[in-house]
């Protein structure tokens, strides 16, 4: 067995508290400009003791195959440590070692079977702590059509306290832009997979900037240098190092940092298959392993050497020897290093200081302020998709084609006109449905991220999205209806035109609500599309146009069919109950007796019932969507 030292220094670095003076404040200066101020009443000491996390893996099964019993797997196996204000902790380890899981647990975002103790200034995670914590995910979840400035300003308006004015929040966002070196791309859009925007490093700095806006005392970052070149990675970690030296507590996972980055870490935690192999000062890690007989044979990056050890690669290459090396490192940690970690946890070094008053509030801003910002942000982002060239051309081409097909039809060709109204109900049932189905699956990651940060009420988000989409969702059907109505030569009265337009827009809102409900409930674009197609086709088939004599046992579908009510109301907007048409040579028939119209009826109390039924569906579908969204994210408010 390799020998290991009895203890290793785990004392926090000197933060220079004696230099604070009576004001008890520190000003952090970046780029020769004072940007942010830290108050040490907001400093956080984090401690985690014997953190264990288990998951259950469901065995695969099928219709003809018996499902095996689920398997329980340990992801974290008793990880302990502590971090003081002014320190930056880097969690290293190979893929699957539990780095991200531990980071998520420390950030208060991990549910499930989590055991052990995690405290912040001696207290468990709370809503106040959430507002004082920044969390940067590995994937940059940003709106692609917003510029860098817009992204940070909207975040500032949502996350900074309501005691600040709008101008103060905008100025704060401008300061972060300057602080992170984003001035050159401030007016560039973020971009995405199919939309050219800022570079990967700039996108990562925008994500970090969103969290820095609240001036967090505790900042978590998951792989902040992933996919970046060494120079960009150096700039980002240097910024984080300066933040830590300014009094923040910074925790990050990092896969394979360069040697320059490694020596910037105040503390290092090395994990292997959920087991801690080392926790302590970064500049002492090589001495610790060298004293146990594990020293690099050639000059190399310390991070690469540590990853080799975590993978069980030292002097042997066989799987058996690798497992033995891993186990020896785990045993050495338990017998030699664990006691020093525990002694630091047991020391009375917690900063028992109350948090600022505004951070104890449940929400940073009022419901109305949240709604206002989300409404404006939503319109600015989604207008690009709603009014994209391809969608406008799609609607215009179909409208002109329909107008030419039904060119100047008259009531004597009643079948043609009835077919046009059914086409209205079908086309504007499917189109808004599929527009809305994709809304929440596409927004899920953003909603999860922002709700986990406690940025806004779910209700303010939902109302802002619902009302913000109204003008965009109603413009294209209005244009479509106006083109086809006059080309088809329908009734030339203002009452008929506007009542038909009202019915069509009413139907669009109902179909949109159904799409939102399906998307929120399923949260998978492919599955939601299939389900939406089946439901809407069922509505169309039961609407009374294709089949007038529907069997009783299935006729109930028409009472929940948006298409049936829309078709009925559109007919009522164009024809009177006693109106006639020429059904043969010198023969007039009542419109209401026409087979396709008689099946649904026109006029009377039926129209009122249809309006009420659609109003119920308009509200019900949105309530279902809202309830389904309550399971998205960490907080359920």
């Amino acid at each position: 067995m390799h020998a290991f030292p009895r203890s290793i220094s785990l004392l926090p670095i000197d933060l220079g508290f004696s230099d604070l003076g009576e004001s008890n404040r520190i000003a952090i200066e970046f780029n020769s400009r004072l940007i942010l101020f830290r108050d040490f009443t907001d400093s956080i000491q984090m401690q985690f003791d014997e953190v264990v996390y288990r998951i259950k893996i469901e065995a695969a099964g099928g219709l003809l195959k018996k499902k095996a019993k689920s398997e329980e797997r340990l992801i974290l196996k008793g990880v302990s440590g502590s971090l003081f204000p002014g320190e930056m902790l880097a969690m290293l380890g190979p893929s699957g070692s539990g780095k991200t899981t531990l980071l998520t647990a420390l950030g208060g975002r991990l549910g499930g079977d989590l055991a052990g103790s995690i405290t912040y200034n001696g207290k468990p995670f709370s809503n106040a702590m959430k507002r004082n914590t920044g969390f940067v995910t590995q994937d940059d979840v940003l709106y692609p059509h917003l510029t860098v400035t817009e992204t940070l300003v909207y975040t500032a308006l949502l996350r900074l306290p309501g005691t600040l004015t709008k101008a103060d929040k905008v100025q704060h966002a401008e300061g972060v832009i300057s602080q992170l070196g984003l001035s050159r791309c401030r007016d560039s859009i973020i971009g995405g997979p199919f939309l050219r925007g800022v570079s990967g490093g700039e996108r990562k700095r925008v994500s970090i900037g969103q969290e820095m806006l609240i001036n967090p005392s505790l900042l978590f970052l998951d792989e902040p240098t992933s996919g970046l070149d060494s120079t960009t990675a150096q700039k980002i970690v240097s910024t984080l190092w300066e933040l830590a030296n300014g009094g923040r507590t910074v925790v990050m996972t990092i896969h394979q940092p360069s040697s320059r980055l490694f020596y910037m870490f105040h503390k290092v935690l090395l994990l292997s298959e959920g087991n801690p192999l080392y926790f302590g000062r970064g500049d002492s890690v090589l001495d610790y392993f060298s004293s146990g007989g594990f020293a690099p044979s050639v000059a190399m990056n310390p991070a690469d050497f540590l990853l080799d050890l975590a993978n069980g690669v030292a002097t042997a290459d066989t799987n058996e020897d690798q497992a033995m090396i891993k186990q020896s490192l785990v045993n050495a940690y338990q017998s030699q290093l664990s006691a020093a970690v525990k002694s630091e946890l047991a020391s009375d070094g917690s900063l028992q200081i109350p948090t600022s008053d505004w951070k104890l509030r449940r929400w940073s801003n009022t419901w109305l302020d949240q709604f206002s910002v989300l409404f404006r942000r939503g319109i600015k982002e989604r207008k690009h998709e709603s009014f994209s060239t391809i969608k406008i051309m799609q609607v215009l081409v179909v409208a002109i084609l329909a107008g030419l097909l039904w060119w100047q039809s008259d009531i004597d060709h009643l079948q043609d006109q009835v077919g046009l109204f059914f086409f209205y109900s079908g086309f504007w049932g499917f189109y808004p449905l599929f527009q809305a189905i994709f809304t929440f699956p596409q927004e899920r990651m953003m909603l999860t991220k922002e709700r986990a940060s406690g940025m806004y009420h779910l209700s303010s988000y939902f109302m802002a999205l619902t009302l913000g989409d109204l003008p965009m969702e109603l413009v294209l059907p209005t244009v479509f209806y106006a083109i086809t109505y006059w080309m088809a030569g329908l009734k030339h009265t203002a009452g008929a035109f506007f009542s038909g337009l009202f019915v069509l827009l009413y139907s669009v809102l109902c179909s949109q609500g159904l799409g939102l409900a399906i998307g929120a409930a399923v949260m998978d674009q492919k599955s939601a599309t299939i389900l939406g197609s089946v439901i809407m086709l069922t509505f169309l088939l039961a609407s009374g146009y294709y089949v007038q004599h529907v069997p009783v046992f299935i006729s109930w579908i028409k009472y929940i069919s948006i298409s049936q009510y829309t078709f009925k109301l559109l007919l009522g907007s164009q024809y009177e109950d006693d109106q006639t048409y020429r059904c043969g040579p010198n023969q007039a028939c009542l419109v209401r007796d026409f087979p396709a119209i008689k099946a649904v009826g026109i006029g009377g109390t039926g129209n009122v019932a249809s309006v009420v039924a659609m109003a119920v569906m308009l509200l019900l579908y949105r309530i279902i969507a809202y309830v389904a969204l309550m399971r998205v994210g960490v907080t359920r408010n």
Side-chain angles (χ1 to χ4, degrees), residues 545-613:
Y545 180 78
Y546 293 120
V547 184
Q548 280 89 47
H549 306 288
V550 181
V552 177
F553 64 87
I554 201 173
S555 62
W556 58 269
I557 296 178
K558 68 181 180 181
Y559 297 111
I560 60 172
S561 170
I562 299 175
S563 302
Q564 193 261 354
Y565 292 122
T566 303
F567 183 44
K568 178 181 179 67
L569 290 174
L570 284 172
L571 293 174
S573 71
Q574 192 70 18
Y575 307 117
E576 303 294 336
D577 186 59
D578 57 353
Q579 191 172 352
T580 61
Y581 71 101
R582 191 170 59 187
C583 56
N586 301 321
Q587 183 180 1
C589 300
L590 290 173
V591 169
R592 67 169 182 262
D593 291 333
F594 186 77
I597 296 178
K598 187 176 182 180
V600 296
I602 56 172
T605 58
N607 285 353
V608 177
S610 298
V611 171
V612 173

Side-chain angles (χ1 to χ4, degrees), residues 360-409:
L360 291 174
R361 295 172 55 190
R362 182 64 187 88
W363 302 103
S364 298
N365 296 279
T366 64
W367 189 96
L368 190 60
D369 288 337
Q370 295 171 11
F371 169 81
S372 176
V373 175
L374 291 169
F375 182 83
R376 286 182 279 121
R377 187 183 72 173
I379 289 180
K380 186 174 287 290
E381 169 62 25
R382 285 192 291 277
K383 70 180 180 182
H384 298 280
E385 183 177 353
S386 297
F387 295 129
S388 65
T389 302
I390 190 170
K391 289 184 178 180
I392 293 174
M393 291 303 299
Q394 176 188 11
V395 171
L396 290 179
V397 168
V398 174
I400 294 173
L401 180 61
L404 293 174
L405 288 171
W406 275 279
W407 179 259
Q408 297 301 311
S409 65

Side-chain angles (χ1 to χ4, degrees), residues 14-15 61 73 86 91 97 147 291 362 441 452 474 491 494 627:
D14 181 12
L15 299 179
R73 180 179 297 177
M91 294 193 290
S97 61
T147 66
S291 64
R362 182 64 187 88
L474 300 182
K491 187 182 289 186
V627 172

Side-chain angles (χ1 to χ4, degrees), residues 296-351:
S297 56
V298 296
M300 63 185 301
N301 181 356
D304 293 338
F305 174 67
L306 295 181
L307 287 177
D308 285 344
L309 290 180
N311 282 307
V313 178
T315 57
D317 295 326
T318 63
N319 292 333
E320 181 179 357
D321 289 338
Q322 288 177 3
M324 291 176 60
I325 290 173
K326 290 180 186 179
Q327 190 58 49
S328 68
L329 293 172
V330 171
N331 294 339
Y333 175 88
Q334 294 294 335
S335 61
Q336 306 296 336
L337 197 54
S338 178
V341 176
K342 295 288 186 180
S343 65
E344 186 178 50
L345 289 171
S347 64
D348 188 16
S350 298
L351 303 174

Side-chain angles (χ1 to χ4, degrees), residues 385-553:
E385 183 177 353
S386 297
F387 295 129
S388 65
T389 302
I390 190 170
K391 289 184 178 180
I392 293 174
M393 291 303 299
Q394 176 188 11
V395 171
L396 290 179
V397 168
V398 174
I400 294 173
L401 180 61
L404 293 174
L405 288 171
W406 275 279
W407 179 259
Q408 297 301 311
S409 65
D410 55 48
I411 193 172
D412 291 333
H413 298 88
L414 189 58
Q415 175 62 41
D416 291 345
Q417 289 193 346
V418 171
L420 176 60
F421 293 125
F422 185 74
F423 174 72
Y424 279 155
S425 66
F427 183 78
W428 289 107
F430 272 100
Y431 191 89
L433 175 78
F434 288 115
Q435 290 279 97
I437 272 179
F438 299 134
T439 299
F440 292 129
Q442 291 175 344
E443 292 258 331
R444 180 176 187 172
M445 292 181 67
M446 181 65 72
L447 180 61
T448 301
K449 168 190 169 182
E450 294 184 336
R451 290 278 294 152
S453 298
M455 290 176 63
Y456 45 72
H457 292 270
L458 178 61
S459 56
S460 61
Y461 164 83
F462 187 81
M463 289 300 297
L465 182 143
T466 302
L467 297 181
D469 281 350
L470 287 183
M472 295 183 286
E473 292 296 329
L474 300 182
V475 169
L476 290 180
T478 299
V479 173
F480 181 94
Y481 181 79
I483 293 174
T484 55
Y485 190 93
W486 298 112
M487 290 182 69
L490 299 177
K491 187 182 289 186
H492 290 208
T493 64
F497 176 82
F498 285 108
S499 61
L501 177 60
F502 169 79
V503 171
L504 187 66
L505 298 183
Y506 198 26
S507 170
V508 167
L509 295 180
C510 291
S511 298
Q512 182 197 36
L514 177 60
L516 292 175
I518 294 173
V522 178
M523 277 298 177
D524 177 77
Q525 294 186 13
K526 184 177 181 180
S527 301
T529 301
I530 295 173
L531 180 59
S533 299
V534 171
I535 292 175
M536 190 53 67
L537 284 172
T538 303
F539 287 171
L540 284 174
L541 291 174
S543 61
Y545 180 78
Y546 293 120
V547 184
Q548 280 89 47
H549 306 288
V550 181
V552 177
F553 64 87

Side-chain angles (χ1 to χ4, degrees), residues 621-635:
Y621 289 146
R622 282 167 170 77
I623 291 173
I624 293 174
Y626 181 80
V627 172
L629 280 183
M630 291 177 68
R631 60 186 169 86
V632 178
V634 176
T635 315

Side-chain angles (χ1 to χ4, degrees), residues 43-98:
S43 298
I44 293 177
Q45 175 189 349
M46 182 179 64
Q47 296 180 320
F48 48 102
D49 186 19
E50 293 295 330
V51 176
V52 176
Y53 185 66
R54 296 178 175 86
I55 60 171
K56 286 187 177 181
I57 302 176
E58 298 294 335
L63 294 176
L64 303 178
K65 183 180 179 181
K66 185 178 180 180
K67 190 174 181 180
K69 294 182 179 180
S70 60
E71 176 188 354
E72 186 178 79
R73 180 179 297 177
L74 272 174
I75 304 300
L76 297 174
K77 305 172 183 178
V79 185
S80 302
S82 61
L83 201 61
F84 292 85
E87 291 183 332
M88 180 165 62
L89 169 65
M91 294 193 290
L92 303 175
S95 299
S97 61

